[in-house]
Every structure is written in structure tokens, then in C-alpha cells.
Amino acid sequence: MYISTRGNSSERTGKEAIALGMVPNGGLFVPRIIPKINWQELKELNYSGLARKIIKLYLPELSDRTLDQAVGVYRPDLFDSENPAPLVQVGNLGILELWHGPTSAFKDMALQVLPHLLKESIQSIEEAEKVLILVATSGDTGKAALEGFRDVPGIEIAVFYPENGVSAVQERQMTTTEGKNTFVIAVKGNFDECQSKVKEIFGSKAMIDEFKKGKYVFSSANSINWGRLLPQIVYYFWAYAQAAACGKIQAGELINIVVPTGNFGNILAAYYAKEMGLPIKELICASNQNNVLSEFFQTGIYNRLRPFYLTTSPSMDILISSNFERFLYHMSDCNSEKVNLWFKELQSEGKFEVDSQTLAKAREYVKAGWANEDEVQATIHKTYDECGYVLDPHTAVAVKVCQEYFDTSGDSTYTIIASTASPFKFAGTVLRSIAPQQGTENEWESLERLSSLTGWAIPSGLQGLDQKTVNKTETTVPSEIPNLLTKLFL
Ligand SMILES: *Cc1c(COP(=O)(O)O)cnc(C)c1O
């Protein structure tokens, strides 16, 4: 069963939690009990089998048919090969490549599955005839969600992205999506403004009632939705199994995991994996210049009142990190009163400070660091020079933070980096880092040059993007989002 981080909801089934996306009057759904599993039981399974086992633990009420369809997505025509998440050895690090799905970012690992979970889940919310998925994206969730939900009967999807806050490839991927049920909207504002507005709509009784008249219920494909986090737990077990299979670790040995972090979803999935019994020593949270999280782990203060930077890792340009609420719920020993207070303060004052016990526990579970723009470029350059491996800027943030962690801690535990995007999604930045003299402002030319320079193939979903027809898209300001939705859907 699932409960609210803010203690403001009755217990819900997993299906209800997924259908609702978030707690209707604020708060996020968390599992009341985190199931334990012996990872030894899992090591003979293929990826789909592993996913099936883990998803079933959290959603026992799901039908076998839905489960089969959900885990059936991890097949070669969608994820490149039999192994949807290969662990590649680069120097002393294991790089877990999570970007072999249709949109070349790790979001596919969950967003290909979510529509299947949601289809059955919606039936548990009786009043719903149609579902309107609202998505705020810092770049990658948008396209992955559009692909996942494209032409799914009974579902429509509207994606909001910051007009100048995503890469050229990310924007073109979204605006060229086919499908009659997809809507893409550019917002004059940053990701936090998009996300806050969308969350506000989920919590607005007036909007919910108005859309109910049109037979719509809202849901979310952002990682505030439990259905997004759940499939992400799987690949940490998968990474461990691969490291053990190739002899990098002995069975039962501890590993570290480093995650380039924005909304704290991906690293939270690793936290759940650890709580379920996966032998993890350190979880390391890596931020870019928008380092609100690493500052929190240093000071215990979460302060979003700070400059917002547009960086070369745009999918991490986030100051209000949604899933941090779930993490703090667990770190405060499930104290929903405290969580309620902190997040009310965040809304009214722009910051909050946790008590020393919560901070101590948070620090015990997660180490944190950040990398600036020069360090990201230098890390991409050095990794290519020394290992011939091409990092995307988000993964480079994690590699840099990892190296710093090694240097300061002296820890030599085998460490896995969650690699979240194909370098071709950010080809301009990557090319300029590896071979500055070849840099070009033309993003499409960058893709070609990066490919010929490195010998790496351009992922099929990114080929010919510049030739595709761009759909008509709406542009709006954050405050007009509710009106635009009414105009588009009612
Ligand atoms: C979404 C995203 C992240 C951040 O993941 P969170 O789950 O939001 O912390 C990092 N890198 C890339 C490439 C992403 O698309």
C-alpha cells in the first residue's frame, strides 16, 4: 500500500497511486513498506524477468497480462540489443549505459513501461474516461513520455518545456513527434516554473472539477509518479548482476553508485534498491552548477533562492527537486508532519532547514558533490583521451564528482556511474570538449562530426532530425498554462 509523504491521504493501492500521479492536495506517494529481496535469487534472470519480479513486489494487484506487456518493452527493436542497459568498463569505473532506448536518454527505461501500468491503473479510478498526462520537462522526459504515450487509446499528453532551456536536439525531438494525442508547449520560463505550475494544477480542485466535466482525469509522467520510479529500481540490480558476472566484484561485495541528479528520481530508485537488499555502500549524488542539493548535504538547508544557471547539462537545471521530498520522508523516519512543514516553508519562504537527526541520516545515506562547466568539459576531454569513451555532459558531471569522492575519501570500492544520455543528444558540447577546433554552432553538423571523429554511430532516433517536419507548437507564459489547457482540451 502507498501513503502520502505529507500524511494527507488515506492508504492507496499502487494502481491508485500511479493513476493519480501525486497526492491530490500536495504530497507524493511512497510505499508503506519497502519489500526485501535476496539479489542472489535474481541473478539468473534476463532484464525483463528481473523487471517483472521487482514490479510485482510493489504492484501485486497488477494483472499478469499487464505485467507481461510492461516488461515486454525491453526488446532489441526498442532498446538496441538483448541487453537494454549494458555495463561498460571505462578505466576503473563501470558505466551503466541507460540510454539505448528510442529517445537516447535513461527516461525511456521507465517511460516505455509507464503507459502499460497506467492503462490498467486508470480503471481503479472509477470516474475516469480519459486521462490527460501533464508533463514538465527539462529536456528528456518530454520526448520519452511523448514516445511512450503516443497514440495510446484513452490518453492524451501535454508536454511543457522551458523555451530556451533545452538543447537543440531535445527540442527538435519533441516538436517532431507524430501521434494525434500529443501536444508540445514552449514556456517562457525555466523548468522549475513549468514543474511548479503543473504540480499546482494537480492540486487545484477548480481545475480538477473543470476537467472532470470534460471526462478527464489528470495524471503525471514525471518522476513524481511512482510508476516512473519503480521501473528505475530494476537497472541497479541489473548493474550489480553484470558486475558480478564479469568478475569485477565477488558475490555479496558492496558497490558504490553515482547518479547525475536533477529531480532526485534516479538516485532515489537506487536508494530503494539498497533498502531492498542490494549491497550498496555509498550513493553519490552529483549536481551541476545548480548545486542546491550538494549544498543541502553540507548545511542541512535547502535553499532555492539562488541564481538559476543554464548549463550544458540542461536536464539537471533544476532548483526544486521533487523527489527530495520522498527522500526526506524516509530520512526523517517517516515523519509526515515535518515533511509537511518543510515543503510548506519551501513554497512560502523559498527555503527550509532540517533537524540535525534528519541531516545526519541523510548524510549517512548519500554523499554529494557538484561539477562546474569547465570541469565537465575537461572530464569529457580527458575520458576520451585516456579511454576512448565518449561521455555526455550529464554523465560527465557524475564522473567528475566520483573522482573527487575517490580523492577525498580514499575509498576504492567498485563504483558504477549511471550514464543518463547518449553523447549525441548534446553533440555540440561534447564535440567542443573533445576537439575544440572542430566545434560548430550548427548542432546537426556537430552530430555528424562527432560520429566521424569517434567512430560512434548516431542513434537511429537522432538521425535526420533536421529534415523532419516540425509540428505547430504553442508558446505560453507559466501563468497562462491553465487557460491554454482549457482551450486545447475542453
Ligand atoms: C532527467 C535526467 C537527469 C536527472 O535525473 P533525475 O531523476 O531527475 O535526478 C540526468 N541526466 C539526464 C540526461 C536526464 O535526462
Side-chain angles (χ1 to χ4, degrees), residues 364-425:
E364 191 187 305
Y365 270 90
V366 171
K367 304 289 175 282
W370 69 284
N372 67 32
E373 291 291 279
D374 290 342
E375 291 169 332
V376 169
Q377 286 223 347
T379 302
I380 296 172
H381 185 94
K382 184 160 173 269
T383 306
Y384 185 68
D385 253 17
E386 292 177 1
C387 308
Y389 188 85
V390 192
L391 292 171
D392 99 280
H394 303 74
T395 311
V397 167
V399 169
K400 169 67 192 165
V401 168
C402 178
Q403 278 156 357
E404 220 163 76
Y405 167 76
F406 284 156
D407 292 345
T408 52
S409 67
D411 188 3
S412 58
T413 303
Y414 184 68
T415 298
I416 290 174
I417 308 275
S419 175
T420 49
S422 156
F424 287 98
K425 270 198 120 157

Side-chain angles (χ1 to χ4, degrees), residues 169 423-432 443 446-448 450:
V169 170
F424 287 98
K425 270 198 120 157
F426 308 93
T429 302
V430 175
L431 184 68
R432 275 190 292 277
E443 196 63 16
S446 298
L447 281 157
E448 299 295 336
L450 185 61

